[in-house]
Amino acid sequence: MTIAEVSERFGISQDTLRYYERIGLIPPVNRNKSGNRNYTEEDLRWVEFIKCMRGAGLPIEVLIEYVTLFQQGDETVEARKELLIEQRNELIARIEDMKKTLERLNLKIARYEQIVVQKEKGLKKLKD
């Protein structure tokens, strides 16, 4: 699959895909005889994984560390697992913070809605 196809499929710019490869966020992609990137199914799984993890807010540095550990082989399985557990715990904490923020926003919006309703009632009384 070409870089243009991968870009369209995942909604990631071609520049971002090149950057991810350059910094080691995704393993090096094979190239065809013309030197163009030729993404395999395994490459696509990496792109999908990185997109998902970035969408969840995992830092690039952590993901580079994960990819580096993965490339070192099975002796890093425990280290990779620990890294993912740590990131999961941080994500859970961020989700809890976001829930609190959402509750506060809902409360503020409800207050504004009450003000609007009260003003509308006042206008209705003026009309009557």
Side-chain angles (χ1 to χ4, degrees):
M1 185 175 278
T2 68
I3 193 168
E5 293 168 328
V6 174
S7 173
E8 185 175 327
R9 178 173 176 176
F10 292 101
I12 301 173
S13 74
Q14 293 180 34
D15 287 339
T16 298
L17 289 167
R18 288 184 197 98
Y19 172 70
Y20 283 176
E21 184 180 354
R22 186 174 67 250
I23 65 170
L25 203 52
I26 59 175
V29 176
N30 292 326
R31 296 180 181 252
N32 63 20
K33 292 178 184 178
S34 302
N36 298 319
R37 287 171 177 80
N38 185 23
Y39 288 81
T40 64
E41 286 300 317
E42 183 178 345
D43 296 328
L44 297 179
R45 286 190 294 274
W46 275 108
V47 172
E48 183 177 31
F49 173 74
I50 295 303
K51 181 179 179 184
C52 176
M53 296 297 109
R54 289 293 295 141
L58 273 71
I60 286 177
E61 297 78 15
V62 169
L63 293 170
I64 291 170
E65 181 180 356
Y66 179 85
V67 172
T68 301
L69 289 169
F70 182 86
Q71 291 173 329
Q72 291 173 8
D74 289 343
E75 63 272 6
T76 66
V77 166
E78 195 60 35
R80 285 182 271 155
K81 177 184 167 191
E82 289 301 317
L83 187 90
L84 293 175
I85 289 170
E86 180 181 317
Q87 291 306 304
R88 179 184 62 191
N89 292 340
E90 289 183 21
L91 181 58
I92 289 168
R94 286 196 313 271
I95 289 170
E96 290 304 315
D97 286 343
M98 291 173 79
K99 284 180 180 178
K100 290 176 186 174
T101 302
L102 180 59
E103 288 174 15
R104 188 164 188 181
L105 284 170
N106 286 337
L107 180 63
K108 291 293 251 181
I109 291 167
R111 287 183 182 159
Y112 280 104
E113 288 172 348
Q114 287 174 345
I115 291 170
V116 170
V117 168
Q118 289 172 357
K119 285 185 178 185
E120 287 176 351
K121 285 180 182 178
L123 289 174
K124 187 176 181 182
K125 286 182 183 180
L126 290 175
K127 285 185 179 180
D128 293 338

